[in-house]
Amino acid sequence: RICVSHRSLLLFCTGTILLTTLGYTCLLLSWGYASHQAKRGRSEEMMASYECLYPYLSRRGIFLYDYAIESLYADRYGQAFRLAEECRGKHLSYDLALLEGDICRYMKNYDRALECFDEASLMCPVRFAPPYGKWQVYEETGDTVRKDSMAQVIRQKEVKVYSREIIKIYEDINNK
């Protein structure tokens, strides 16, 4: 089966030595290559690699999480949602809750997005991303009262370290 440009490595991995340590290591290297390429803006091109690797690595929560992110970036929202839900059974985390919130927001399932952002906020109440996610939902749905209320919550949070992400959040809430 031909997956992508690194097909010979992937074919070697999924061949007869799959159950050996070498075969498994090879699968992880192939996943690393696909992930690296996807993070360089080639998410759509790497989907074939993720699809080939899925039968072998789907028990790893972190693989499912990574695959869900890249599916989101490749505008495959339904697939991203299914992968995130599958990941939830293996790897529940703050980052997964945020990812599910973003996926649901892109799918315009705003009620579920808000639930996910609330869940993330309960996991890490001092973080800015959950209230910002809710602010984005209110922005997209035209709920200016809740949007302004969430902007106020964000403004009242203590900033421990100014980062690009925090600056972007402040720019967004102050310019819209």
Coordinates of all heavy atoms in Angstrom, one line a residue, residues 44-90:
E44 N -3.0 18.2 5.3 CA -3.8 17.5 4.4 C -3.0 16.4 3.7 O -3.5 15.3 3.5 CB -4.4 18.4 3.3 CG -5.3 17.7 2.3 CD -6.5 17.0 2.9 OE1 -7.1 17.6 3.9 OE2 -6.8 15.9 2.5
E45 N -1.8 16.7 3.3 CA -0.9 15.7 2.6 C -0.6 14.5 3.5 O -0.4 13.4 3.1 CB 0.4 16.4 2.2 CG 0.2 17.4 1.1 CD 1.5 18.1 0.8 OE1 2.5 17.4 0.6 OE2 1.5 19.4 0.8
M46 N -0.5 14.8 4.8 CA -0.1 13.7 5.8 C -1.3 12.8 6.2 O -1.1 11.8 6.9 CB 0.6 14.3 7.0 CG 1.9 15.0 6.7 SD 3.1 13.7 6.1 CE 3.3 14.2 4.4
M47 N -2.5 13.2 5.8 CA -3.7 12.4 6.3 C -3.5 11.0 5.8 O -3.9 10.0 6.6 CB -5.0 13.0 5.7 CG -5.4 14.3 6.4 SD -5.9 14.0 8.2 CE -4.4 14.6 9.0
A48 N -3.0 10.7 4.7 CA -2.8 9.3 4.2 C -1.9 8.5 5.1 O -2.2 7.4 5.4 CB -2.3 9.3 2.8
S49 N -0.9 9.2 5.6 CA 0.0 8.5 6.5 C -0.7 8.2 7.8 O -0.5 7.1 8.4 CB 1.3 9.4 6.8 OG 2.0 9.5 5.7
Y50 N -1.4 9.2 8.4 CA -2.1 8.9 9.6 C -3.1 7.8 9.4 O -3.3 6.9 10.3 CB -2.8 10.2 10.1 CG -1.9 11.1 10.8 CD1 -1.4 12.2 10.2 CD2 -1.6 11.0 12.2 CE1 -0.5 13.1 10.9 CE2 -0.8 11.8 12.9 CZ -0.3 12.9 12.2 OH 0.6 13.8 12.9
E51 N -3.8 7.8 8.3 CA -4.8 6.7 8.0 C -4.1 5.3 8.0 O -4.6 4.3 8.5 CB -5.5 7.0 6.7 CG -6.5 8.1 6.8 CD -6.9 8.7 5.5 OE1 -6.7 8.1 4.4 OE2 -7.6 9.8 5.5
C52 N -2.9 5.3 7.4 CA -2.1 4.0 7.4 C -1.6 3.6 8.8 O -1.6 2.4 9.1 CB -0.9 4.1 6.4 SG -1.4 4.2 4.7
L53 N -1.3 4.6 9.6 CA -0.7 4.3 10.9 C -1.8 3.9 11.9 O -1.6 3.3 12.9 CB 0.1 5.4 11.4 CG 1.4 5.7 10.6 CD1 2.0 7.0 11.0 CD2 2.4 4.6 11.0
Y54 N -3.0 4.4 11.7 CA -4.1 4.3 12.6 C -4.4 2.9 13.1 O -4.5 2.6 14.3 CB -5.4 4.9 12.1 CG -6.6 4.7 13.0 CD1 -6.9 5.6 14.0 CD2 -7.5 3.6 12.8 CE1 -7.9 5.4 14.8 CE2 -8.6 3.5 13.7 CZ -8.8 4.4 14.7 OH -9.8 4.2 15.5
P55 N -4.4 1.8 12.3 CA -4.7 0.5 12.8 C -3.6 0.0 13.8 O -3.9 -0.8 14.6 CB -4.7 -0.4 11.5 CG -4.9 0.5 10.4 CD -4.4 1.9 10.8
Y56 N -2.4 0.5 13.6 CA -1.3 0.1 14.5 C -1.1 0.9 15.7 O -0.5 0.4 16.7 CB 0.0 0.0 13.6 CG -0.2 -0.8 12.4 CD1 -0.4 -0.1 11.2 CD2 -0.2 -2.1 12.4 CE1 -0.6 -0.8 10.0 CE2 -0.4 -2.9 11.2 CZ -0.6 -2.2 10.0 OH -0.8 -2.9 8.9
L57 N -1.4 2.2 15.7 CA -1.1 3.1 16.8 C -2.4 3.6 17.5 O -2.3 4.4 18.4 CB -0.3 4.2 16.3 CG 1.1 3.9 15.7 CD1 1.8 5.1 15.2 CD2 1.9 3.2 16.8
S58 N -3.6 3.2 17.1 CA -4.8 3.7 17.7 C -5.0 3.5 19.2 O -5.9 4.1 19.8 CB -6.0 3.3 16.9 OG -6.1 1.8 17.0
R59 N -4.2 2.6 19.7 CA -4.4 2.3 21.2 C -3.6 3.4 22.0 O -3.8 3.5 23.2 CB -3.9 0.9 21.5 CG -4.8 -0.2 21.0 CD -4.3 -1.5 21.5 NE -3.0 -1.7 21.0 CZ -2.4 -2.8 20.9 NH1 -3.0 -3.9 21.3 NH2 -1.1 -2.9 20.4
R60 N -2.8 4.2 21.3 CA -2.0 5.2 22.0 C -2.8 6.5 22.0 O -3.1 7.1 20.9 CB -0.7 5.5 21.3 CG 0.2 4.2 21.3 CD 1.5 4.5 20.6 NE 2.2 5.6 21.1 CZ 3.3 5.5 21.9 NH1 3.7 4.3 22.3 NH2 3.9 6.6 22.4
G61 N -3.2 7.0 23.2 CA -4.0 8.2 23.3 C -3.3 9.4 22.6 O -4.0 10.2 21.9
I62 N -2.0 9.5 22.8 CA -1.3 10.7 22.2 C -1.3 10.6 20.7 O -1.4 11.7 20.0 CB 0.1 10.8 22.8 CG1 0.7 12.1 22.5 CG2 1.0 9.6 22.3 CD1 0.1 13.3 23.2
F63 N -1.3 9.5 20.1 CA -1.4 9.4 18.6 C -2.8 9.8 18.2 O -2.9 10.6 17.2 CB -1.2 7.9 18.1 CG -1.5 7.7 16.7 CD1 -0.7 8.1 15.7 CD2 -2.8 7.2 16.3 CE1 -1.0 8.0 14.3 CE2 -3.1 7.0 14.9 CZ -2.2 7.4 14.0
L64 N -3.9 9.4 18.9 CA -5.2 9.8 18.5 C -5.4 11.3 18.7 O -6.0 12.0 17.8 CB -6.2 9.1 19.4 CG -6.4 7.6 19.2 CD1 -7.2 7.0 20.3 CD2 -6.9 7.3 17.8
Y65 N -4.8 11.9 19.7 CA -4.8 13.3 19.9 C -4.1 14.1 18.8 O -4.7 15.0 18.2 CB -4.2 13.7 21.3 CG -4.0 15.1 21.6 CD1 -5.1 15.8 22.1 CD2 -2.8 15.8 21.4 CE1 -5.0 17.2 22.3 CE2 -2.7 17.2 21.7 CZ -3.8 17.8 22.1 OH -3.8 19.2 22.4
D66 N -3.0 13.6 18.4 CA -2.2 14.2 17.3 C -3.0 14.1 16.0 O -3.1 15.1 15.2 CB -0.8 13.6 17.2 CG 0.1 14.3 16.3 OD1 0.2 15.5 16.3 OD2 0.7 13.6 15.4
Y67 N -3.5 13.0 15.8 CA -4.3 12.7 14.5 C -5.5 13.6 14.5 O -5.9 14.2 13.5 CB -4.7 11.2 14.5 CG -5.3 10.7 13.2 CD1 -5.4 11.5 12.1 CD2 -5.7 9.4 13.1 CE1 -6.0 10.9 10.9 CE2 -6.2 8.8 12.0 CZ -6.4 9.6 10.9 OH -6.9 9.1 9.7
A68 N -6.2 13.8 15.7 CA -7.3 14.7 15.7 C -7.0 16.1 15.4 O -7.7 16.8 14.7 CB -8.0 14.6 17.1
I69 N -5.8 16.6 16.0 CA -5.4 18.0 15.7 C -5.1 18.1 14.2 O -5.6 19.1 13.6 CB -4.1 18.3 16.5 CG1 -4.4 18.4 17.9 CG2 -3.4 19.5 15.9 CD1 -3.2 18.6 18.8
E70 N -4.4 17.2 13.6 CA -4.1 17.4 12.2 C -5.3 17.2 11.3 O -5.4 17.9 10.3 CB -3.0 16.3 11.8 CG -1.7 16.5 12.5 CD -1.2 18.0 12.5 OE1 -1.4 18.8 11.6 OE2 -0.5 18.3 13.5
S71 N -6.3 16.4 11.8 CA -7.6 16.4 11.0 C -8.3 17.7 11.1 O -8.9 18.1 10.1 CB -8.4 15.2 11.6 OG -7.8 14.0 11.4
L72 N -8.3 18.3 12.2 CA -8.9 19.7 12.4 C -8.2 20.7 11.4 O -8.8 21.4 10.7 CB -8.8 20.2 13.8 CG -9.2 21.6 14.1 CD1 -10.7 21.7 13.9 CD2 -8.9 22.0 15.6
Y73 N -6.9 20.7 11.4 CA -6.1 21.6 10.5 C -6.3 21.3 9.1 O -6.2 22.2 8.2 CB -4.6 21.5 10.8 CG -4.2 22.1 12.2 CD1 -3.1 21.7 12.9 CD2 -5.0 23.1 12.8 CE1 -2.8 22.2 14.1 CE2 -4.7 23.6 14.0 CZ -3.5 23.2 14.6 OH -3.2 23.7 15.9
A74 N -6.7 20.0 8.8 CA -7.0 19.6 7.4 C -8.5 19.8 7.0 O -8.9 19.4 6.0 CB -6.6 18.2 7.1
D75 N -9.2 20.5 7.9 CA -10.6 20.8 7.8 C -11.5 19.6 7.7 O -12.5 19.6 7.1 CB -10.9 21.7 6.5 CG -10.2 23.1 6.6 OD1 -10.0 23.6 7.8 OD2 -9.8 23.6 5.6
R76 N -11.1 18.5 8.3 CA -11.9 17.3 8.4 C -12.5 17.2 9.8 O -12.1 16.5 10.7 CB -11.0 16.1 8.2 CG -10.4 16.0 6.8 CD -9.5 14.8 6.6 NE -9.0 14.7 5.3 CZ -8.4 13.6 4.8 NH1 -8.3 12.5 5.5 NH2 -7.9 13.7 3.6
Y77 N -13.5 18.1 10.0 CA -14.0 18.3 11.4 C -14.7 17.0 12.0 O -14.5 16.7 13.1 CB -15.0 19.5 11.4 CG -14.4 20.7 10.9 CD1 -15.0 21.5 9.9 CD2 -13.1 21.2 11.3 CE1 -14.5 22.6 9.4 CE2 -12.6 22.3 10.8 CZ -13.2 23.1 9.9 OH -12.7 24.2 9.4
G78 N -15.5 16.3 11.1 CA -16.2 15.1 11.6 C -15.1 14.1 12.0 O -15.3 13.5 13.1
Q79 N -14.1 13.9 11.3 CA -13.1 12.9 11.6 C -12.3 13.4 12.8 O -12.1 12.6 13.7 CB -12.1 12.8 10.4 CG -10.9 11.9 10.7 CD -10.0 11.8 9.5 OE1 -10.5 11.7 8.3 NE2 -8.7 11.8 9.7
A80 N -12.0 14.7 12.9 CA -11.3 15.2 14.1 C -12.2 14.9 15.4 O -11.6 14.5 16.4 CB -11.1 16.7 14.0
F81 N -13.5 15.1 15.3 CA -14.4 14.9 16.4 C -14.4 13.5 16.8 O -14.3 13.2 18.0 CB -15.8 15.4 16.1 CG -16.7 15.3 17.3 CD1 -16.7 16.2 18.3 CD2 -17.6 14.3 17.3 CE1 -17.5 16.1 19.4 CE2 -18.5 14.1 18.4 CZ -18.5 15.0 19.4
R82 N -14.5 12.6 15.9 CA -14.5 11.1 16.2 C -13.2 10.7 16.9 O -13.2 9.9 17.8 CB -14.8 10.3 14.9 CG -16.2 10.4 14.5 CD -16.5 9.4 13.3 NE -15.7 9.6 12.1 CZ -15.9 10.6 11.2 NH1 -17.0 11.3 11.3 NH2 -15.2 10.7 10.2
L83 N -12.1 11.2 16.3 CA -10.8 10.8 16.9 C -10.7 11.4 18.3 O -10.1 10.7 19.2 CB -9.7 11.3 16.0 CG -9.5 10.6 14.7 CD1 -8.7 11.4 13.7 CD2 -8.9 9.2 15.0
A84 N -11.1 12.6 18.5 CA -11.0 13.2 19.9 C -11.9 12.4 20.9 O -11.5 12.2 22.0 CB -11.5 14.7 19.8
E85 N -13.1 12.0 20.4 CA -14.0 11.2 21.3 C -13.3 9.9 21.6 O -13.4 9.4 22.7 CB -15.3 11.0 20.6 CG -16.2 12.3 20.7 CD -16.6 12.7 22.1 OE1 -17.1 11.8 22.8 OE2 -16.3 13.8 22.4
E86 N -12.7 9.3 20.6 CA -12.0 8.0 20.9 C -10.8 8.2 21.8 O -10.5 7.4 22.7 CB -11.5 7.4 19.5 CG -10.9 6.1 19.6 CD -10.4 5.5 18.3 OE1 -10.8 6.0 17.2 OE2 -9.7 4.5 18.3
C87 N -10.1 9.3 21.6 CA -9.0 9.7 22.5 C -9.5 9.9 23.9 O -8.8 9.5 24.9 CB -8.3 10.9 22.0 SG -6.9 11.4 22.9
R88 N -10.6 10.4 24.1 CA -11.2 10.7 25.5 C -11.2 9.5 26.3 O -10.9 9.5 27.5 CB -12.6 11.3 25.3 CG -13.2 11.6 26.6 CD -14.6 12.3 26.4 NE -14.4 13.7 26.2 CZ -14.3 14.6 27.2 NH1 -14.3 14.2 28.4 NH2 -14.2 15.9 26.9
G89 N -11.5 8.3 25.7 CA -11.5 7.1 26.5 C -10.1 6.6 26.9 O -10.0 5.8 27.8
K90 N -9.1 7.1 26.3 CA -7.7 6.7 26.6 C -6.8 7.8 27.2 O -5.8 7.5 27.9 CB -7.0 6.3 25.3 CG -7.7 5.1 24.6 CD -7.1 4.9 23.2 CE -7.6 3.7 22.5 NZ -9.0 3.5 22.4

